[in-house]
Amino acid sequence: MEPSQLQWWGEQAFVSLTTFRRDGTPVATAVWIARDGDRLVVITPAGSGKVKRLRRNSAVTMAPCSRRGTVEPDAPTVTAVAQVRDEPAEVERVRAVLKAKYGAEYRIFMTVERVVTLMRPTPRVALWIDAGRPSRGDERGQA
């Protein structure tokens, strides 16, 4: 992605991140996103379906969306590659980038999540999103 594209995508409040099931079926999820240098970053629970799908097929598509994941019909869409990063230092780095962008909203959400999960921390992984060639399948997610 060009720097101007990275900047634009990184400024979006939410994006619909689409990953692909083994049979190619798309699965979209609204996520927080931020720019970190020459890539976009997301943080997500380690046990989530999107992480399982990304470990099999790194192809993703993104579109700006609402908090609830609604994508406008004329919204721009980009195809990219996501890499799952589970190193603790990388997860903390991405957590800090998102906390800086979202501020109180991030802290409130994480506090509510901890209360809901009875104070047990949710293991998380970082996602690096870059332009590039998917590790498996094609850009539509076909395995």
Side-chain angles (χ1 to χ4, degrees):
M1 265 181 245
E2 296 295 319
S4 62
Q5 290 175 306
L6 282 171
Q7 185 70 30
W8 188 84
W9 284 101
E11 290 172 351
Q12 300 306 302
F14 298 93
V15 299
S16 176
L17 181 69
T18 301
T19 56
F20 299 92
R21 291 188 177 137
R22 196 177 308 267
D23 67 0
T25 303
V27 181
T29 307
V31 296
W32 283 336
I33 193 164
R35 181 179 179 182
D36 183 26
D38 62 352
R39 68 178 45 98
L40 298 167
V41 293
V42 170
I43 198 163
T44 191
S48 68
K50 81 175 81 52
V51 171
K52 293 172 189 172
R53 291 185 293 275
L54 286 170
R55 290 193 191 279
R56 190 174 52 257
N57 181 348
S58 64
V60 297
T61 60
M62 296 186 309
C65 70
S66 69
R67 177 181 306 275
R68 293 181 177 255
T70 303
V71 176
E72 295 297 322
D74 61 344
T77 302
V78 66
T79 299
V81 174
Q83 181 181 9
V84 178
R85 304 295 300 234
D86 54 9
E87 304 88 355
E90 187 57 34
V91 173
E92 286 308 312
R93 176 184 170 85
V94 171
R95 190 183 314 263
V97 169
L98 291 168
K99 189 184 290 185
K101 177 179 176 181
Y102 292 96
E105 182 179 8
Y106 180 89
R107 288 187 287 283
I108 290 167
F109 180 85
M110 292 301 162
T111 299
V112 168
E113 180 181 83
R114 294 228 23 196
V115 169
V116 169
T117 61
L118 304 173
M119 301 308 285
R120 287 174 287 191
T122 301
R124 298 201 176 264
V125 296
L127 304 180
W128 285 359
I129 301 173
D130 299 289
R133 186 181 173 132
S135 62
R136 296 179 184 90
D138 65 19
E139 292 181 353
R140 293 182 317 276
Q142 301 300 312

